[in-house]
Amino acid sequence: MTGSPSRSVPAPAAIAQEAIGGGQARLLSVKGLVKHFPLRRGLALPRSGGRVRAVDGISFEIARGETLGLVGESGCGKTTAGKAIVKLIEPTAGEIWVDGQRIDRLSGAAMRPWRRKLQIVFQDPYSSLNPRLKVRDIVAEPLVNYRVARGTALAAEVKDLVRRVGLREDALDRYPHEFSGGQRQRIGIARALALRPSLIVLDEPVSALDVSVQAQVINLLEDLQQEFGLSYLFVAHDLAVVEHISHRVAVMYLGKIVELADKDALFSRPQHPYTEALLSAAPVPDPDAAGRRIILKGDVPSPVSPPPGCRFHTRCPYAVARCRQQEPVMREVAPGHQVACHLRPPDPALPSGAG
């Protein structure tokens, strides 16, 4: 990301890694998450016409104070996964655990207390804000809905939230259309922060912004994370942004996570051929840096009828017969580094059966 912030990833990186490895301080646990969308045929008497396998069995964990980057091509299912985790859409199958409690089966009423812990910032900072409401009312809405504050206390809290995201107090009486894209995204962040959540899903939060503004918003998110101990699921396709803000990174392809690792290990030693191709396509701000661009052949297969075996085998330059027949499972090839690829044997130094 040209013009990206120069500060380093905050201290929770090591803490988060230790927490996940030791089974402590785990905030979110996703196990076998599935989201399929049925296709319909006909108008008078609709009939089932198959399913779009948007998310097809993914598992990961996020520790307190950790940022997990979720990357992949458009249509791989990363946004759908984020929405399913906060239950803006109902998952088809799988388990979602928050603070040791399973929430995927909760009804709307039972889910209400958990929504205070789970918030989301959307990609489009304009369409996600009500154009008829002033900023004061947009930021106050969650506080009013949950009866957190009212009267002078409510007004003071709203002013404090606006200040924390870098907006002036005179912004309170203006409408969303009067702001720039970066300012509107700050309003969305203030609204998400209002209930002091534990986890915020950031769905491409800077992709619609100018590069210089991206850096400002990323720095703001890091500051808020350190101040409030927030955890982030950072959904994005810009690898430079993901490398800067994330502690760990999960790579998705056609509804599946194919690699999950600490960000330093993933960017320096990618293990999955798809991750290698993604990284080779990312621009490097060093004209003297040597690199080999990996050009993938063909298009991404349809999520309605994904190929058998490894879903990436139709485009993989290293595919063998086994890849076309047997689906690989996620396994550890190094401590904390998981990959779903038949060509990557498990680390022999790991305990038997690891991964």
Side-chain angles (χ1 to χ4, degrees):
M1 180 177 63
T2 305
S4 62
S6 59
R7 66 179 71 179
S8 60
V9 176
I15 299 173
Q17 275 299 106
E18 182 179 353
I20 291 294
Q24 299 176 350
R26 184 180 293 111
L27 173 66
L28 174 72
S29 181
V30 176
K31 302 178 182 179
L33 181 65
V34 174
K35 180 57 185 178
H36 293 171
F37 296 96
L39 295 176
R40 300 294 182 182
R41 295 176 181 171
L43 297 175
L45 294 172
R47 295 179 299 170
S48 176
R51 296 172 295 170
V52 176
R53 300 172 180 268
V55 178
D56 211 14
I58 64 173
S59 302
F60 59 86
E61 296 172 343
I62 300 179
R64 295 187 182 278
E66 182 188 22
T67 298
L68 176 69
L70 187 60
V71 303
E73 293 173 282
S74 296
C76 70
K78 54 189 186 295
T79 292
T80 300
K83 290 181 177 179
I85 287 168
V86 298
K87 295 197 67 178
L88 286 182
I89 55 177
E90 288 294 325
T92 303
E95 301 178 9
I96 303 170
W97 296 75
V98 179
D99 273 341
Q101 300 293 319
R102 187 173 177 180
I103 67 168
D104 55 278
R105 295 177 176 177
L106 297 181
S107 64
M111 185 65 194
R112 180 175 168 82
W114 292 96
R115 295 199 183 279
R116 294 188 62 170
K117 292 179 174 286
L118 307 173
Q119 292 291 311
I120 186 168
V121 174
F122 296 96
Q123 177 178 1
D124 187 343
Y126 187 70
S127 63
S128 62
L129 302 175
N130 189 331
R132 295 185 176 89
L133 294 182
K134 294 181 178 179
V135 171
R136 179 189 308 277
D137 300 316
I138 290 173
V139 178
E141 190 171 24
L143 297 168
V144 173
N145 287 344
Y146 279 86
R147 301 178 182 179
V148 173
R150 62 180 180 178
T152 57
L154 175 63
E157 180 66 15
V158 170
K159 289 180 182 179
D160 180 63
L161 286 165
V162 168
R163 177 186 60 80
R164 287 180 184 274
V165 298
L167 295 176
R168 298 186 304 184
E169 190 175 327
D170 60 7
L172 290 169
D173 293 311
R174 295 159 61 189
Y175 292 91
H177 73 270
E178 300 179 70
F179 296 90
S180 67
Q183 290 172 322
R184 285 196 288 263
Q185 197 60 289
R186 290 174 185 266
I187 297 168
I189 294 170
R191 178 179 60 184
L193 188 65
L195 295 174
R196 301 295 190 267
S198 301
L199 173 73
I200 299 180
V201 174
L202 300 164
D203 181 18
E204 303 266 13
V206 297
S207 63
L209 308 180
D210 293 338
V211 174
S212 61
V213 179
Q214 288 183 10
Q216 297 171 17
V217 173
I218 291 299
N219 284 339
L220 170 64
L221 291 170
E222 289 184 342
D223 291 341
L224 293 173
Q225 182 175 51
Q226 289 184 304
E227 182 176 359
F228 296 103
L230 298 169
S231 297
Y232 294 145
L233 176 62
F234 193 91
V235 177
H237 63 270
D238 188 325
L239 293 174
V241 175
V242 170
E243 183 179 15
H244 175 80
I245 195 173
S246 301
H247 302 123
R248 293 185 302 139
V249 180
V251 180
M252 281 193 74
Y253 182 81
L254 204 61
K256 295 278 190 179
I257 290 179
V258 297
E259 188 163 2
L260 175 61
D262 172 83
K263 71 97 176 279
D264 292 330
L266 186 133
F267 279 86
S268 63
R269 300 180 300 278
Q271 295 296 307
H272 197 280
Y274 178 62
T275 308
E276 292 179 351
L278 283 182
L279 295 180
S280 77
V284 179
D286 182 359
D288 298 323
R292 180 176 65 92
R293 177 72 185 273
I294 301 174
I295 306 297
L296 297 178
K297 298 179 180 180
D299 297 323
V300 179
S302 169
V304 177
S305 55
C310 174
R311 297 190 175 188
F312 186 60
H313 84 257
T314 59
R315 306 173 73 195
C316 180
Y318 315 115
V320 297
R322 183 183 180 189
C323 302
R324 302 180 183 94
Q325 301 166 2
Q326 181 181 348
E327 182 175 349
V329 297
M330 290 287 285
R331 56 186 177 184
E332 268 192 304
V333 295
H337 196 146
Q338 300 178 48
V339 63
C341 181
H342 293 307
L343 304 180
R344 298 291 187 263
D347 187 341
L350 294 172
S352 177

